[in-house]
């Protein structure tokens, strides 16, 4: 999303965090913020919140992050997220009454925030745009591994992956989903 938004003619993008200290992603990629919450412009055209696992939980539990998103999201022209970033939007109170999606493992948690979970790759409801998983990333991993099975697999959704693969992946996500549920319920109590 950063590349696409940053490539818009005339666009100014901000990578925003509580401080300008590097933020380390779930995959140990350091991302350097260009603005703090205080330095970020008050009125934004687009907010795009990324997903992840531990970073998602930390953001949902952080009062300063929630206050920043609630404030800027209340005025932004478009409020968007990728993957589990929709849980962060929900925790900030920005999805109540909206249709939304998330990674399939956490999609059902959106109803905790008063959102209507939708099983779709991208959901647009008024000025809210939420995206499920990361299809291009999955294709990239397949390319790096030169993974070209014969016959090819079509397992990009739980419905297509089949029960065995879905049960295995669901079990892998259980601890994260349990923590995300706790964080979601705590966020709703704060709202």
């Amino acid at each position: 999303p950063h590349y696409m938004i940053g490539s818009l003619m005339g666009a100014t993008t901000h990578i925003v965090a509580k401080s300008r200290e590097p933020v380390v992603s779930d995959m140990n990629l350091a991302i350097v913020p260009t603005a703090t919450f205080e330095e970020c412009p008050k009125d934004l055209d687009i907010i795009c919140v990324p997903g992840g696992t531990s970073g998602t939980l930390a953001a949902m539990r952080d009062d300063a992050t929630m206050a920043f998103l609630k404030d800027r999201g209340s005025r932004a022209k478009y409020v968007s997220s990728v993957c589990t970033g929709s849980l962060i939007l929900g925790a900030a109170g920005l999805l109540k009454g909206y249709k939304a999606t998330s990674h399939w493992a956490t999609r059902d948690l959106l109803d905790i925030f008063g959102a209507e979970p939708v099983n779709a790759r991208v959901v647009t409801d008024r000025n809210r745009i939420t995206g499920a998983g990361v299809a291009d990333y999955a294709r990239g991993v397949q390319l790096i591994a030169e993974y070209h099975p014969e016959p090819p697999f079509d397992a990009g959704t739980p419905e297509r992956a089949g029960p065995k693969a879905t049960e295995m992946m669901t079990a892998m996500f259980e601890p994260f989903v349990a923590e995300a549920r706790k964080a979601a319920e705590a966020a709703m109590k704060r709202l």
Side-chain angles (χ1 to χ4, degrees):
H2 181 259
Y3 179 82
M4 296 305 291
I5 293 169
S7 295
L8 295 172
M9 292 187 68
T12 300
T13 58
H14 307 279
I15 301 172
V16 184
K18 284 172 44 171
S19 76
R20 287 182 176 252
E21 295 297 314
V23 177
V24 180
S25 76
D26 295 342
M27 297 304 296
N28 292 320
L29 175 67
I31 300 165
V32 181
T34 60
T36 65
F37 293 158
E38 294 78 25
E39 296 167 337
C40 182
K42 300 290 183 206
D43 296 305
L44 302 170
D45 290 325
I46 302 169
I47 290 180
C48 183
V49 177
T53 53
S54 59
T56 295
L57 296 174
M60 291 171 69
R61 293 173 174 147
D62 186 77
D63 291 337
T65 300
M66 294 296 97
F68 170 80
L69 286 173
K70 186 174 186 174
D71 175 67
R72 298 312 195 278
S74 70
R75 293 185 305 279
K77 291 180 185 175
Y78 295 98
V79 177
S80 65
S81 65
V82 178
C83 200
T84 59
S86 59
L87 298 178
I88 300 169
L89 292 179
L94 296 171
L95 292 181
K96 185 174 183 168
Y98 288 87
K99 293 179 182 178
T101 194
S102 188
H103 185 280
W104 62 265
T106 60
R107 185 182 312 118
D108 291 342
L109 298 179
L110 293 171
D111 67 353
I112 293 171
F113 304 116
E116 180 183 334
V118 177
N119 182 6
R121 172 71 54 205
V122 176
V123 174
T124 303
D125 185 353
R126 293 162 277 169
N127 73 331
R128 303 300 197 259
I129 305 167
T130 53
V134 285
D136 288 338
Y137 175 77
R139 287 185 190 100
V141 170
Q142 183 175 345
L143 176 61
I144 288 171
E146 292 189 64
Y147 186 68
H148 185 68
E150 295 293 337
F153 296 126
D154 182 14
T157 65
E159 297 80 15
R160 291 182 174 183
K164 184 177 178 182
T166 300
E167 288 170 15
M168 178 179 69
M169 297 310 293
T170 299
M172 183 179 89
F173 279 109
E174 276 181 7
F176 170 70
V177 172
E179 287 300 310
R181 179 174 298 282
K182 288 179 192 174
E185 291 168 349
M188 288 310 294
K189 288 179 183 175
R190 288 192 310 269
L191 288 175

